[in-house]
């Protein structure tokens, strides 16, 4: 189907590890990219391709892929990681862009 | 450093045409997919459409009949027009630079947006 599905909300204790997932058939053909968005701000690219991080993105963020699922893992979550996270790839049928619905991460 | 500077009217009445621009400074238009994305208040990201530097366009099927995206290479400027707006078109509108990385021999194919404008809040209200 032409959708990327994310859990609407995830929480993690400060300093713990959390995985945010994104599911969709198109992920069998394309790697996902991940974006962080804080309230009132522009989305920022955090992960792209086969676990690539743009300059300035902390190493505690990593990406992985398995079958129809892409994951964003934060190892040792910090308070400043509290934000919305969106996955993105192209639809393998139409080749048009697809965004996941977003996951709101709360750091407890 | 490449920057995307957005401009355009932020308050429209129903049935009017939304018109936004995105000026690219410090870089070229070539080899990118210049994209418009919107985000209704409190909701997720919605792709509106894209234009490749070659001039080819793709639009969200749900908006296709009302959307026009164009580029003015002489001004390094991307434009969005959305006709017959309603309250449902109220959103923050972002321009973004899209890229594709394809290396078939390695089985790598991925797309991403590496640069975003700051967003323009467009409100449609009578």
């Amino acid at each position: 189907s032409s959708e990327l599905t994310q859990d609407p909300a995830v929480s993690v204790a400060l300093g713990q590890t959390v995985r945010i997932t994104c599911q969709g058939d198109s992920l069998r053909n394309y790697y996902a990219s991940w974006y962080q968005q804080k309230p009132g701000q522009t989305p920022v690219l955090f992960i792209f391709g086969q676990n690539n991080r743009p300059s300035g993105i902390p190493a505690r963020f990593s990406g992985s892929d398995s079958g129809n699922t892409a994951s964003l893992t934060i190892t040792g979550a910090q308070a400043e990681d509290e934000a919305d996270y969106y996955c993105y790839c192209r639809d393998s049928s139409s080749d048009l862009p697809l965004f996941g619905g977003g996951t709101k991460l709360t750091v407890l | 450093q490449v920057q995307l500077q957005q401009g355009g009217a932020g308050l429209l009445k129903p049935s009017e045409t939304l018109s936004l621009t995105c000026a690219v400074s410090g870089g070229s238009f070539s080899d990118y997919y210049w994209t418009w994305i919107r985000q209704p208040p409190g909701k997720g990201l919605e792709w509106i459409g894209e234009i490749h530097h070659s001039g080819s366009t793709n639009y969200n099927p749900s908006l296709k009949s009302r959307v026009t995206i164009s580029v003015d290479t002489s001004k390094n400027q991307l434009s969005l027009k959305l006709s017959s707006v309603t309250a449902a078109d109220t959103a923050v509108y972002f321009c973004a630079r899209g890229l594709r990385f394809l290396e078939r021999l390695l089985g790598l194919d991925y797309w991403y947006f590496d640069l975003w404008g700051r967003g323009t809040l467009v409100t449609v209200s009578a």
Side-chain angles (χ1 to χ4, degrees), chain A residues 29-33 35 37 41-45 47-50 52 86 88-90 95-97 99-101, chain B residues 33 37 39 43-47 50 58-61 94 100 107-114 116-119:
Chain A
N29 299 92
Y30 295 117
Y31 288 94
S33 54
Y35 303 83
Q37 185 183 32
Q41 297 186 20
T42 296
V44 175
L45 176 66
I47 295 288
F48 65 101
Q50 209 173 20
N52 300 304
Y86 294 91
Y88 164 77
C89 76
R90 304 287 281 208
D95 210 31
L96 297 180
F99 281 104
Chain B
Y33 293 81
I37 295 159
Q39 186 172 35
K43 296 189 177 180
L45 301 171
E46 179 183 25
W47 174 74
E50 66 186 7
N58 289 307
Y59 298 126
N60 187 320
F94 298 100
R100 181 183 191 184
L108 296 176
D109 193 353
Y110 51 89
W111 301 72
Y112 56 102
F113 300 107
D114 69 334
W116 295 65
R118 297 185 67 176

Side-chain angles (χ1 to χ4, degrees), chain B residues 61-79:
Chain B
S62 69
L63 299 170
K64 188 173 183 177
S65 62
R66 299 193 290 133
V67 174
T68 302
I69 294 175
S70 60
V71 294
D72 183 337
T73 54
S74 68
K75 296 181 180 179
N76 261 18
Q77 185 168 283
L78 171 71
S79 296

